[in-house]
Amino acid sequence: MAASELPDLSPIRRVVLDIEGTTTPISFVADVLFPYARDNVRSHLAATYGSSEETRADVALLRAQVEEDLAQGVDGAVPIPADGEGVAVVVEALAVNVEAMIRADRKVTALKQLQGRIWRRGFHSGELRSEVYDDAAEALRRWRAKAYIYSSGSREAQRLIFANTAAHGDIRDHLCGFFDTTIGPKREVSSYYEIWQTLGTDRPSQILFLTDVYQEATAAKAAGLEVLISIRPGNAPLPDNHGFPTITSFAQISI
């Protein structure tokens, strides 16, 4: 099948969408969301450390992730002192690790959960407004009761993005649910098998997955899902002869 030809999508019963590079410009995530989290991590942790159950949970996840990173020699990982060393010292070590994870674009739950908490403040204060492609927003309206999100960002972060779009307002009503890396990494076949089991279609091929990442497309296809790759400005180039049908707009999809 030529990459420009779309398969027969009439059997599709559910649609699962990536965010970055698919529904939303990569530039918004890389140039707005990531810097906001980086610039506000210290103030967020300092303000909530010791007083917020959410932050206690976030710090516990970060400590566990950093211990694993140190054991594996991950670049940028530094030890996190015990709480008895003082809040300022602990917060600084946490922030240094978070900054290293952001630079490396790590897809780990410890980072993504904390980023979601920080972005919440930005969206609620009005400092942040998200970008969703016009064709994606219109397609979500057409696909109501069929569409789900699967992103490495936390489910909270996903909801914030679709609740606070600059051009379309709150479009969460057009989505049925959200998956993040707690169901599994996006480049592993088992993650898509779990999504199929959760959505409950008769066959995995009744689920359409849209992504801009070749490795994710390969994993989803191996699990039996139908796959289209999204071509958007700023997306990474695909391998030659990648073999997947591609789209440049959701308007090309009829289901």
Side-chain angles (χ1 to χ4, degrees):
M1 177 186 296
S4 59
E5 297 177 358
L6 298 189
D8 175 17
L9 300 178
S10 60
I12 296 300
R13 298 294 177 266
R14 299 290 184 269
V15 182
V16 178
L17 304 168
D18 171 51
I19 294 179
E20 183 181 358
T22 302
T23 67
T24 296
I26 280 183
S27 59
F28 173 71
V29 178
D31 300 338
V32 178
L33 288 184
F34 285 179
Y36 187 89
R38 180 197 64 215
D39 294 345
N40 288 278
V41 62
R42 284 176 176 80
S43 61
H44 171 80
L45 290 172
T48 59
Y49 197 91
S51 62
S52 165
E53 289 299 327
E54 283 186 345
T55 298
R56 288 190 185 97
D58 294 342
V59 169
L61 277 178
L62 284 167
R63 284 188 180 278
Q65 183 64 57
V66 170
E67 286 297 320
E68 181 180 323
D69 291 348
L70 289 169
Q72 296 179 357
V74 173
D75 187 43
V78 300
I80 300 173
D83 287 343
E85 297 294 320
V87 172
V89 175
V90 174
V91 165
E92 181 60 26
L94 288 166
V96 168
N97 281 286
V98 168
E99 289 169 343
M101 292 178 188
I102 292 173
R103 284 195 303 271
D105 194 17
R106 299 280 300 279
K107 309 294 187 183
V108 292
T109 300
L111 171 65
K112 296 304 179 180
Q113 182 167 292
L114 178 62
Q115 284 178 320
R117 315 284 199 209
I118 298 170
W119 293 333
R120 179 204 297 162
R121 183 176 68 180
F123 280 113
H124 287 179
S125 70
E127 292 178 82
L128 294 174
R129 283 290 181 267
S130 62
E131 296 180 36
V132 171
Y133 288 114
D134 291 344
D135 60 90
E138 178 56 35
L140 290 177
R141 294 186 183 96
R142 296 198 312 271
W143 300 340
R144 192 167 184 172
K146 289 185 178 181
Y148 296 76
I149 299 297
Y150 180 29
S151 172
S152 57
S154 68
R155 285 174 291 181
E156 178 179 20
Q158 296 172 34
R159 289 192 293 268
L160 287 166
I161 286 171
F162 290 97
N164 297 278
T165 74
H168 307 284
D170 186 346
I171 55 176
R172 288 174 298 173
D173 283 351
H174 305 313
L175 291 163
C176 297
F178 302 87
F179 297 102
D180 62 13
T181 53
T182 58
I183 205 164
K186 294 185 71 183
R187 299 187 181 193
E188 292 190 6
V189 177
S190 59
S191 303
Y192 299 91
Y193 178 83
E194 290 300 324
I195 288 175
W196 168 46
Q197 291 294 301
T198 300
L199 296 186
T201 58
D202 292 337
R203 299 180 301 280
S205 59
Q206 292 174 310
I207 301 171
L208 174 64
F209 178 56
L210 279 78
T211 181
D212 64 307
V213 178
Y214 171 72
Q215 293 87 345
E216 295 174 6
T218 300
K221 191 67 175 178
L225 278 64
E226 191 66 71
V227 179
L228 301 178
I229 291 185
S230 172
I231 307 295
R232 300 285 196 180
N235 286 8
L238 296 170
D240 293 337
N241 302 315
H242 57 79
F244 286 98
T246 62
I247 59 164
T248 57
S249 168
F250 284 19
Q252 296 170 250
I253 303 171
S254 179
I255 55 174

